[in-house]
Amino acid sequence: MSKPASLSVLLDLTKTTQTLLAHFQSSLAPTSPSDSSIPPPPNSLQALRACATLLKSHTTTLSLLLLTPPLTPSAIITKIGDVSSGPLPGLVGAAVAESDLGTLMQGEVRAQTRRLIVSWGEVVALVGKMAERKQGIQTNGNANAKGKPKDEGPTESERADVLAATGVVWETCDALIKLCDGGIAGLVVKKAEEWRSVLLDAVEELKEWGDDIDDDEDDEDDGAEGSDGGFEDEYDIFSATNKLGKEDKELKLVLDNSVKKLKMVGVLYQALIKRRLKTFPSSTAAGSTKAQAHKSHVAALEDLMKLLRSIPEQVDDLASAFYELDENEAKATLDRCCKEAKDAISIVKQSWVGADDEFTAWSAKWLDALNAA
């Protein structure tokens, strides 16, 4: 059975570790600036990946120590110390140091590292709870043949909690490792695909809203009284959005044109993902010229991503203009959407090595088609 002094040391360690983790979480907050005093590792993503892999391994070992009786404070103390002096500061240092990852990638790195710190904190909290219970066994637990308290191992509840907390740490480690393996290109492709999906969903909703115009008006006088079970007022609440009448022919034309052009923008997203985002070059070997080129590429990529994120937001505004039957605002918002799409092309019209390619020729035809629509 563990000595009371050893359990006390372990409890003290869990408390100081929680304080350390709180400090780490604060430094990883979205509003915290990058720390220029911390020199970034030669390859931030490789360093993050190595630290996440090591933390996952340490967590596995700690989980086994917690689940296998008797509880051994000295081994657990050593394992927590290994994590606090190794992978944790390595993760945080790489995440908060100024780097060439760009704001989008570094923001995602910070967010995932912070989640990992939180999940590790849950494991440490469980260690503290289990140590406290073991202390109670010193005086109130069952006794073995020699009259000493008997350690019967973790309870079923503790076992389930340890396995669950360990699983969360594994998942967050794997997510960070996947982010590092995918690099900047992997992240921007994922984000662009998400925004494209949002864009197309909004376009489909607009199309359905326009297609339902005639049916909504024709059905107003056809419904038999009580056919909806007496819930007329309740249904009216959910259909309070202004409807486009048959007489609103000009606005209907604007709507149809908007749907057509925005579907073309959705095709542009596909082309950008395939020809520009998936081909984004990773940071290459050292050298001032190459480093400067990479920095320039990251800046262009971030400008592009801002536009790809903004366009679906503009489409939301466009939908609001249509629902309010505001033709002028709808036209103005559609123009902004199209302008941002054109601006996106201008940023990456040429390849990342500055040469014309298939996308260059395709984008010129796409612009002609958009202008003619």
Side-chain angles (χ1 to χ4, degrees):
M1 185 62 196
S2 305
K3 296 181 180 179
S6 297
L7 288 172
S8 296
V9 172
L10 177 57
L11 280 169
D12 289 342
L13 178 61
T14 61
K15 293 175 183 178
T16 57
T17 301
Q18 292 287 17
T19 301
L20 175 65
L21 296 178
H23 171 71
F24 283 158
Q25 290 179 46
S26 177
S27 66
L28 290 165
T31 56
S32 298
S34 296
D35 192 342
S36 59
S37 66
I38 300 177
N43 190 311
S44 299
L45 296 183
Q46 286 184 6
L48 286 162
R49 191 188 193 286
C51 289
T53 302
L54 183 57
L55 178 56
K56 183 177 180 180
S57 175
H58 281 317
T59 304
T60 301
T61 303
L62 179 60
S63 176
L64 292 173
L65 290 172
L66 294 174
L67 295 175
T68 306
L71 189 73
T72 52
S74 59
I76 296 172
I77 288 169
T78 298
K79 186 55 58 179
I80 293 176
D82 289 342
V83 172
S84 296
S85 62
L88 283 187
L91 282 167
V92 176
V96 303
E98 288 189 346
S99 69
D100 59 357
L101 297 178
T103 56
L104 182 65
M105 185 65 175
Q106 190 156 22
E108 187 68 19
V109 164
R110 279 178 173 236
Q112 292 204 22
T113 301
R114 196 168 191 268
R115 286 194 288 271
L116 184 50
I117 298 298
V118 171
S119 66
W120 171 251
E122 293 298 321
V123 174
V124 175
L126 279 175
V127 173
K129 292 178 181 178
M130 293 178 70
E132 287 178 348
R133 189 177 72 84
K134 297 303 179 185
Q135 276 191 325
I137 295 178
Q138 299 294 333
T139 54
N140 301 319
N142 298 326
N144 59 19
K146 296 182 180 180
K148 295 181 179 180
K150 182 180 179 181
D151 187 349
E152 297 179 344
T155 65
E156 287 301 315
S157 176
E158 288 173 337
R159 180 178 293 274
D161 289 343
V162 169
L163 292 174
T166 302
V168 173
V169 173
W170 284 352
E171 290 176 3
T172 50
C173 284
D174 288 343
L176 183 54
I177 291 170
K178 183 178 180 180
L179 176 66
C180 295
D181 288 343
I184 297 175
L187 176 64
V188 295
V189 166
K190 177 175 178 288
K191 293 291 186 182
E193 288 174 342
E194 291 173 354
W195 296 331
R196 177 178 180 271
S197 179
V198 172
L199 167 66
L200 295 182
D201 285 346
V203 173
E204 188 60 29
E205 288 180 9
L206 274 177
K207 182 177 182 299
E208 291 177 359
W209 181 73
D211 290 344
D212 288 343
I213 294 169
D214 293 340
D215 292 338
D216 288 342
E217 291 196 343
D218 292 341
D219 292 343
E220 283 183 358
D221 299 325
D222 295 341
E225 185 176 353
S227 62
D228 56 6
F231 287 97
E232 295 92 344
D233 293 338
E234 285 79 358
Y235 286 137
D236 286 343
I237 293 175
F238 297 110
S239 60
T241 303
N242 290 336
K243 297 183 182 299
L244 188 60
K246 290 181 178 180
E247 71 281 3
D248 296 317
K249 294 181 180 180
E250 289 298 323
L251 187 57
K252 181 64 164 64
L253 289 174
V254 176
L255 174 63
D256 292 343
N257 189 45
S258 297
V259 170
K260 181 179 180 180
K261 287 190 172 184
L262 292 175
K263 284 184 176 180
M264 293 179 64
V265 174
V267 174
L268 174 62
Y269 271 68
Q270 280 185 305
L272 286 169
I273 290 170
K274 180 178 180 180
R275 301 295 182 182
R276 290 296 180 260
L277 301 187
K278 288 185 176 181
T279 61
F280 183 78
S282 60
S283 182
T284 53
S288 58
T289 302
K290 291 182 178 180
Q292 186 60 37
H294 181 72
K295 185 176 181 180
S296 177
H297 289 157
V298 170
L301 182 65
E302 296 205 325
D303 288 341
L304 173 64
M305 296 305 287
K306 288 176 183 177
L307 292 170
L308 297 184
R309 177 173 53 196
S310 173
I311 291 173
E313 296 171 354
Q314 295 287 346
V315 175
D316 284 342
D317 294 337
L318 177 64
S320 297
F322 278 118
Y323 298 155
E324 293 171 6
L325 309 182
D326 189 336
E327 181 180 340
N328 291 332
E329 182 60 25
K331 288 180 178 179
T333 307
L334 176 62
D335 288 343
R336 288 196 295 270
C337 289
C338 293
K339 181 182 183 303
E340 291 188 347
K342 295 175 183 178
D343 290 343
I345 289 177
S346 68
I347 293 173
V348 289
K349 186 175 182 179
Q350 292 185 314
S351 71
W352 296 111
V353 295
D356 290 349
D357 59 4
E358 291 181 4
F359 178 80
T360 308
W362 179 90
S363 63
K365 295 178 181 179
W366 184 90
L367 286 170
D368 289 341
L370 182 71
N371 291 330

